[in-house]
Amino acid sequence: MVKLIIKDASNLDVNLLSVFGSVAKYRVKIIFINNTTGTTTVRKGEWSTHTTKSKQIDAKPTSTNSLCCTWENEMIDLSIPGMSEGDNFQFVLERRYTTMGAKMETKVLGETHLTLSEIKDMFANTSNKEDAMVELFLFREDNKHDMNTGDLVYAGKGSLPSIVRVGILLDNKNENDDKNENVGDNIDGSIPQDEVVGEEELYDKRVMIMTRGTRGDIQPFLALAKGLAEEKNWEVIFVTELFYKGGVIKVANSIVKGRGKISFRPSGGDTTKKTSKALAKYVINVKLSAPQTNAMQRLFLSRSEVEFFHSEPALYYWAKKLQPSLLIYGFTMASVATVISETLKIPLIGFILQPTSIPSEEYPPCLPLLEVNYKKLTKEKILSRHKKNHAMKHMMDNLGSIVHNSDCMFEIRKRRGLEVNRRFETESVFQQLKEKNYPMVIPINETMFGGKPKDWSENTVFTDCIFMRGDMIPPLAEDAQSFINNAKADGGKVIVLCFSSMPVTKTQIIEIALRLIRQCSEKVCVFALVGGTEFHAPLDTNSNISLEEVQEATDNNRLFLASRAPFGRLFPLVDTIVLHGGLGT
């Protein structure tokens, strides 16, 4: 039997109605989801005994505009008939308050998702089993109309994460004592409160990797984390979205025993879900002329960081609590990493897979789609484009400050006590990093990029392309290997279509494949990768695709659809690769 002990919660948002005398109370609700039957079971806790103003961790004495509440060790039984340890349950925090019309309202403040096995892992990874306490982050509830689903819930002038502290009671308190998982405390938004920072003495260094985005923004950092752990004996705190938790844990469990450690920490947010929304798909896939597409590229680049500012409270919290000796950031986290580095005095190093974000007179921030236009660019025009790009990005990064939005760089720097600047003419974060000669590693072959620009800083260096290798790379599936072998034996040229995490539909990919098969002067065999849920999706009813043509191409070994394939095994075997230019490829 497993029981969850609900202790207290802190950094809860002060509801506006509380100012008018309606004191909010909170309760925990557990929703169990049976993966086999699909049935759900709900267990509700008691409403909190009292609600008080609370001072935040590391906040100034005046920053008390947040609430805390207690339940005095209320217990919720997690033992449900028919539930296995791998089944999911939702940990939901609800708020109840009286409206001005004397109506009682109940609202979900935030939630997180766990499994029973993860709850037991939490207990196993705490040093003091009798008084074990775990801190759970909360995230916005899932809402198909909410573009910010999965974002971290935080509150107060210090903008710190809302946290619920829970304990765990097992019937057999020794059942997990001998468990030793290399991944450590890798549960959703949780960390044992009694974790000792001095654990880093077991390792040569403790570093924190911070990155968010689509799959290509994450995978290279996993390879880096594995290398730092195994080759350097470093402890790596990997902070990213919950969606990638499984991938982080898989890599962590693959580390050679006794050589380093990788732990997962949540940043909040769900980029994959956000880019799969209908509006996001339309914006990405809308067909425009070359000049219009270039303008869209500049717009996307200008919003490359602001979409992830909501994670700053989580990243700041983890850096403050775990005290890494080095911050390693990606392209989407540069400004946030700089804020944390300045505030907490922690050195930082960039791991940048988008080198054209570093201003240079040798290339524009966005390459024109038409080569003829690229050749027309002079040094003055290139520098002008960098300046215009920064002005646009600066506006996007700080636009929220006009309406006092906490998710803008102006407010983020202000709440951390740092200098702020609203001027559009200020230098970009990458220009500042370059001029201050901060280390930036570009994990791309220098020859592929065309050489190191002369105006880059000394500490901006190329290495080589970084990928997972060795036992982490599985072989090609038998049917995939057979398709390639048969194509080559029949004199065909194998073309790979790969759009990775971009929201390109199965129908669109098949349309491109059939066009290649029909119109190429040589015999081509198309290996089309259709990822995610799209692989099993039916074709669009309003498309002009003939199902008979698809079947014929498949039967004649001209078309092969796969949901995934290891690029390291696949790419060397084919003749042409058509891809979207993501970081992972």
Side-chain angles (χ1 to χ4, degrees):
M1 180 179 291
V2 182
K3 290 185 178 180
L4 201 62
I5 305 171
I6 315 299
K7 295 178 177 287
D8 58 51
S10 61
N11 295 333
L12 304 175
D13 185 27
V14 177
N15 188 277
L16 181 62
L17 294 174
S18 299
V19 179
F20 298 97
S22 174
V23 178
K25 290 196 173 186
Y26 301 83
R27 75 175 175 190
V28 169
K29 181 171 70 175
I30 305 293
I31 304 174
F32 301 88
I33 306 169
N34 190 306
N35 291 340
T36 303
T37 64
T39 57
T40 60
T41 304
V42 179
R43 288 189 175 171
K44 299 177 181 178
E46 299 296 326
W47 292 105
S48 57
T49 55
H50 63 275
T51 307
T52 62
K53 289 287 183 72
S54 65
K55 292 185 178 181
Q56 302 164 342
I57 301 172
D58 193 45
K60 297 178 181 179
T62 56
S63 299
T64 58
N65 63 332
S66 63
L67 299 175
C68 70
C69 63
T70 62
W71 289 273
E72 298 180 352
N73 294 336
E74 175 197 358
M75 291 190 185
I76 298 181
D77 190 358
L78 301 184
S79 302
I80 302 294
M83 291 284 293
S84 69
E85 293 199 353
D87 286 337
N88 294 307
F89 69 86
Q90 294 170 256
F91 181 99
V92 182
L93 183 65
E94 293 184 326
R95 173 168 57 197
R96 184 179 68 175
Y97 56 92
T98 305
T99 66
M100 296 180 68
K103 181 181 178 182
M104 190 69 71
E105 295 281 355
T106 300
K107 180 181 179 181
V108 173
L109 182 67
E111 64 182 49
T112 190
H113 296 248
L114 303 105
T115 65
L116 191 58
S117 62
E118 288 173 334
I119 284 287
K120 291 186 176 181
D121 284 346
M122 282 192 273
F123 179 82
N125 288 311
T126 53
S127 57
N128 184 351
K129 301 290 191 297
E130 295 297 326
D131 299 312
M133 187 152 61
V134 171
E135 296 179 339
L136 296 177
F137 278 10
L138 298 171
F139 306 94
R140 289 193 185 183
E141 62 180 309
D142 189 6
N143 186 324
K144 65 180 180 180
H145 301 298
D146 186 1
M147 292 293 284
N148 297 314
T149 293
D151 275 349
L152 181 77
V153 177
Y154 62 83
K157 291 181 180 178
S159 295
L160 292 174
S162 299
I163 292 174
V164 180
R165 295 177 181 85
V166 301
I168 303 157
L169 180 65
L170 299 177
D171 275 354
N172 182 3
K173 294 190 177 184
N174 295 318
E175 68 173 312
N176 284 314
D177 283 357
D178 297 328
K179 189 172 182 179
N180 181 19
E181 299 236 1
N182 199 9
V183 68
D185 39 275
N186 50 43
I187 37 280
D188 287 7
S190 61
I191 176 172
Q193 194 184 34
D194 63 352
E195 180 178 47
V196 181
V197 173
E199 184 188 9
E200 64 182 347
E201 296 175 2
L202 299 173
Y203 310 101
D204 295 340
K205 189 184 289 287
R206 169 180 282 177
V207 300
M208 190 169 97
I209 289 178
M210 51 182 76
T211 183
R212 278 195 58 192
T214 57
R215 190 166 63 246
D217 296 285
I218 312 302
Q219 286 181 329
F221 286 87
L222 289 176
L224 175 65
K226 182 175 173 65
L228 294 177
E230 291 188 337
E231 301 296 327
K232 298 292 186 181
N233 190 38
W234 287 7
E235 179 189 5
V236 182
I237 310 298
F238 202 109
V239 187
T240 189
E241 302 171 18
L242 286 174
F243 182 81
Y244 303 110
K245 181 191 69 171
V248 176
I249 294 174
K250 182 179 179 181
V251 174
N253 285 332
S254 73
I255 294 175
V256 176
K257 188 175 182 179
R259 293 298 299 173
K261 173 185 177 181
I262 299 175
S263 294
F264 170 81
R265 293 292 184 273
S267 65
D270 192 335
T271 304
T272 301
K273 185 172 289 186
K274 196 169 187 177
T275 56
S276 66
K277 300 288 184 181
L279 177 60
K281 284 185 176 182
Y282 172 79
V283 171
I284 293 174
N285 286 294
V286 64
K287 292 179 172 61
L288 300 169
S289 65
Q292 291 172 318
T293 303
N294 290 334
M296 289 297 291
Q297 280 186 311
R298 291 192 290 272
L299 176 62
F300 288 148
L301 185 60
S302 70
R303 297 192 61 81
S304 59
E305 292 190 76
V306 69
E307 298 288 344
F308 309 107
F309 283 172
H310 202 87
S311 289
E312 188 273 342
L315 296 164
Y316 176 82
Y317 179 87
W318 294 128
K320 176 71 176 177
K321 187 177 184 73
L322 301 177
Q323 301 174 29
S325 56
L326 179 67
L327 302 175
I328 302 175
Y329 64 90
F331 167 67
T332 60
M333 292 278 105
S335 295
V336 169
T338 302
V339 168
I340 295 172
S341 175
E342 289 183 51
T343 306
L344 301 179
K345 310 302 180 186
I346 303 174
L348 78 166
I349 182 170
F351 192 68
I352 311 300
L353 293 105
Q354 303 87 342
T356 58
S357 61
I358 304 172
S360 171
E361 63 184 34
E362 297 187 20
Y363 52 77
C366 293
L367 298 180
L369 290 181
L370 300 179
E371 185 178 2
V372 63
N373 291 336
Y374 177 71
K375 291 180 178 180
K376 292 178 182 178
L377 291 176
T378 63
K379 175 182 174 180
E380 290 71 23
K381 287 183 178 180
I382 288 175
L383 292 176
S384 174
R385 290 197 176 192
H386 278 293
K387 186 176 180 180
K388 289 179 180 178
N389 174 72
H390 170 63
M392 191 172 187
K393 184 176 184 300
H394 188 84
M395 181 179 67
M396 293 294 178
D397 287 353
N398 294 282
L399 194 60
S401 63
I402 298 174
V403 291
H404 305 290
N405 186 342
S406 60
D407 292 338
C408 70
M409 190 46 56
F410 176 84
E411 293 295 340
I412 289 174
R413 293 188 65 85
K414 183 179 177 180
R415 72 186 178 217
R416 301 303 174 210
L418 301 175
E419 180 184 358
V420 295
N421 197 329
R422 292 177 184 265
R423 293 172 56 236
F424 290 112
E425 294 79 16
T426 52
E427 298 171 338
S428 70
V429 63
F430 283 104
Q431 180 68 26
Q432 295 177 40
L433 292 167
K434 184 179 78 170
E435 291 184 354
K436 293 178 181 178
N437 203 22
Y438 280 21
M440 286 187 281
V441 173
I442 315 298
I444 297 173
N445 185 284
E446 184 174 340
T447 303
M448 291 173 58
F449 191 71
K452 180 177 178 178
K454 295 178 181 179
D455 54 354
W456 275 14
S457 64
E458 179 185 1
N459 283 336
T460 302
V461 297
F462 287 99
T463 55
D464 207 337
C465 298
I466 183 169
F467 296 100
M468 287 285 193
R469 287 293 180 259
D471 295 338
M472 290 296 295
I473 303 298
L476 277 177
E478 289 186 11
D479 55 350
Q481 185 68 62
S482 177
F483 173 81
I484 295 173
N485 292 343
N486 292 337
K488 290 184 176 295
D490 202 27
K493 301 291 186 181
V494 181
I495 298 178
V496 168
L497 290 181
C498 172
F499 299 99
S500 295
S501 52
M502 290 294 97
V504 183
T505 66
K506 178 180 180 179
T507 300
Q508 291 172 313
I509 293 173
I510 291 179
E511 285 177 342
I512 296 171
L514 293 178
R515 199 180 314 156
L516 288 169
I517 293 171
R518 293 191 217 105
Q519 299 180 10
C520 283
S521 58
E522 296 191 42
K523 181 178 182 179
V524 298
C525 303
V526 181
F527 191 116
L529 285 159
V530 183
T533 56
E534 279 292 326
F535 183 76
H536 298 289
L539 297 179
D540 293 345
T541 55
N542 58 352
S543 72
N544 295 321
I545 294 178
S546 165
L547 295 179
E548 291 76 12
E549 185 181 9
V550 174
Q551 190 61 52
E552 182 182 358
T554 304
D555 294 341
N556 293 335
N557 204 70
R558 302 292 298 279
L559 175 64
F560 181 82
L561 299 180
S563 59
R564 62 175 57 200
F567 292 165
R569 307 285 189 198
L570 176 63
F571 287 178
L573 303 177
V574 304
D575 300 286
T576 303
I577 303 166
V578 180
L579 46 80
H580 79 295
L583 308 186
T585 50

